[in-house]
Structures are given as structure tokens and as C-alpha cells.
Amino acid sequence: MDDAAQQVGPAARSYRPEEELGGFEQEVTRLDHQAALTWAHEWRILRPLAPSGGGAVLDAGCGNGAVTAELSAALPGTRVVGLDAHPGLLERAGARGAGGPEPELFLGDVGDTPFADETFDLVLSRYVFQHLPEPIGVARELRRVLRPGGHLAVIDVDAGLWGTAEPDLSGFSEEAYRALGAAQSADGGDRLIARRLPRILRDAGFTDVTVQPFAYTSDEVGLDALAPQLSPERLLPLVERGALSLTAYLRAMTAWQNFVARDGFVLLLGFAVVGRR
């Protein structure tokens, strides 16, 4: 349910920030919000992979730079680079104060990066692969820019394993989110990408591929904090496109509002799939 993909361009076509709910400005805010929700969980997985006392890290598909800034602050003395194909998002990344050394930012595509072979010790790609029509090719490109022994960490979600809610919401929202998956698939994306990532990385030449799930709950952060990610209001652009019926949308929205009123509980799952060059 939570897809904060942050890269667009030739390699990623199913995410367009201008077409998200509220347009570009609201989507930038949502990306910041999503990074704040999950970064601590992600960093616990990434920290053992990151170089210490130097080296270089690439945030491939860095979007508005929320996590690029976190990496820069967490890794003093390490070269931190952000790459994104969306000029508007990259501009926001450049305007962000990192609280430490400024990360380097490059405009470019994750499937055809401007970097030399064996440049980075760690490449991170967050919520990007679900939007890629050719994910194996992108994984090969990111492997090319890794130094031997370096790691690629792909963080993403799986709509079939998104988490759980109590009371159960699935009967009311299944049609709406099935339409979201169909629309993303039609644009070249894949909302079931997490289950496919281990084989994608292996096919791209990575070894020692592992799947490391992480979870966070509404009791940790509050339902209000999860609303930008989970509220069916995010599906309104699909109604406007004719990809989702108004009836299905209203059914899902009513169920969500009742869920919030009853102080429902949500457990959300994310997946970090890591491979070594």
C-alpha cells in the first residue's frame, strides 16, 4: 500500500509526482513524511553495509533528497551522491540542508548512470524498482558502478504482503487497490516487486542475496501519521482517470474513516533485498 518511489525518466515511468494526489507540492511533502516513518528501520539494515571512514554511497532515485540527507549526516567522511531523473525533485534535494557535508547531486537515469565503473561501496535504491519496466537491466547498471565486494540494497514493498489491519480492511478496499495495481502495471510498474527482487538481483549477477523485512505499526507512529500513505484519498487520481469507479473509491474511503474512528491497528511491512558484487 505504501509506495514512495522517487525516480522518474526513461527507466521509470509509472511514477509521476505531478499526477499524484494534490500535485507536485503535496507529493514532495508525502515523500518527506514517508522517509521519516521508515528511515530508522532502514538504517538498521543499511548501517552494516555502509563504508566507514571514507568510501562512497549512491542514493539511486533519490527524489527530493530526504534520505540522501540522512545518509550524509550518518556517514561523515563518506562521499554521498544522489541521482534522480526528475529535475523538480532534484532541485528540492539541492535546497535541503543536510546538517553536514552537502551530498553531490546528479540529474540522470538509474538505468544509465553517469558514473564510472566501480565507483561506489554501497548503492541504495528506495521504492524505485516497483516503477521500473526493466528492473534487471537497472540492477545490472547499479552493479556496474559498485566496487567488488560492495552491496546494492533495494528497498520496496509488495502489495500482496503489505501488512495487516485490525479490524480487517481488505474486504472494503480490495477493489480499489486492485485498480491501483492494474494502473501501475499498465504504466510499466509492478506492485508485487518485493517477491521478485531476489531473483532480479541474482539474474543481474549479484551474490549473497538476502531478504530483510522490517515492520512498523500505527501504535508506534499514530494513525494520523500513516494517513498520507494509507488513506484511499490517494486513489482519487485514479477516479479522475477512469481507472477506478467512484463507488469503489467511496466504499474504501468510508471503511478507512470508520477504521480511524475505531482506533484501528495497522502493521506495515517493507522489504530490503540486498546483493553483493
Side-chain angles (χ1 to χ4, degrees):
M1 281 180 140
D2 186 354
D3 60 320
Q6 297 174 308
Q7 196 269 349
V8 293
R13 301 186 181 90
S14 75
Y15 172 68
R16 304 175 185 89
E18 294 84 359
E19 297 180 12
E20 295 295 314
L21 178 69
F24 180 80
E25 293 298 333
Q26 187 166 323
E27 178 62 6
V28 167
T29 299
R30 190 187 72 82
L31 294 177
D32 278 337
H33 185 83
Q34 191 276 338
L37 283 175
T38 62
W39 171 245
H41 299 277
E42 296 169 21
W43 179 238
R44 280 196 291 271
I45 296 169
L46 295 171
R47 185 173 183 177
L49 308 175
S52 58
V57 174
L58 172 64
D59 185 1
C62 67
N64 68 339
V67 163
T68 321
E70 294 282 4
L71 287 167
S72 185
L75 297 170
T78 296
R79 180 190 180 199
V80 175
V81 177
L83 173 74
D84 203 275
H86 191 286
L89 289 176
L90 201 68
E91 181 180 0
R92 295 304 176 89
R96 183 184 299 274
E102 292 290 334
E104 301 173 35
L105 299 174
F106 290 83
L107 183 67
D109 189 78
V110 294
D112 185 19
T113 73
F115 310 115
D117 294 355
E118 302 182 8
T119 297
F120 299 100
D121 301 279
L122 171 65
V123 175
L124 169 64
S125 190
R126 302 174 65 255
Y127 306 108
V128 172
F129 270 64
Q130 64 172 284
H131 294 284
L132 298 175
E134 298 179 0
I136 295 175
V138 172
R140 287 178 179 143
E141 170 64 8
L142 298 180
R143 182 181 181 276
R144 180 187 68 79
V145 301
L146 272 172
R147 293 169 180 151
H151 291 87
L152 169 65
V154 179
I155 294 176
D156 224 307
V157 296
D158 188 307
L161 304 169
W162 70 273
T164 188
E166 177 61 39
D168 185 20
L169 280 169
S170 60
F172 299 98
S173 58
E174 182 177 2
E175 181 181 355
Y177 284 97
R178 187 167 58 245
L180 176 61
Q184 188 163 323
S185 179
D187 287 338
D190 182 359
R191 289 185 63 78
L192 303 176
I193 192 65
R195 69 186 67 181
R196 300 187 173 112
L197 284 172
R199 289 184 175 181
I200 287 171
L201 265 59
R202 290 189 189 101
D203 288 347
F206 287 91
T207 62
D208 301 328
V209 176
T210 61
V211 180
Q212 302 183 53
F214 58 91
Y216 56 107
T217 74
S218 55
D219 283 357
E220 293 174 46
V221 300
L223 276 174
D224 287 346
L226 294 178
Q229 314 301 325
L230 295 182
S231 171
E233 186 179 17
R234 286 191 63 201
L235 303 177
L236 269 175
L238 293 183
V239 178
E240 296 170 356
R241 289 168 55 183
L244 174 66
S245 72
L246 181 60
T247 300
Y249 167 76
L250 291 174
R251 188 167 182 250
M253 193 66 195
T254 300
W256 171 253
Q257 291 169 342
N258 290 338
F259 181 81
V260 172
R262 295 172 62 183
D263 190 30
F265 173 84
V266 180
L267 181 150
L268 292 171
L269 287 173
F271 298 90
V273 181
V274 178
R276 184 172 69 90
R277 174 171 178 175

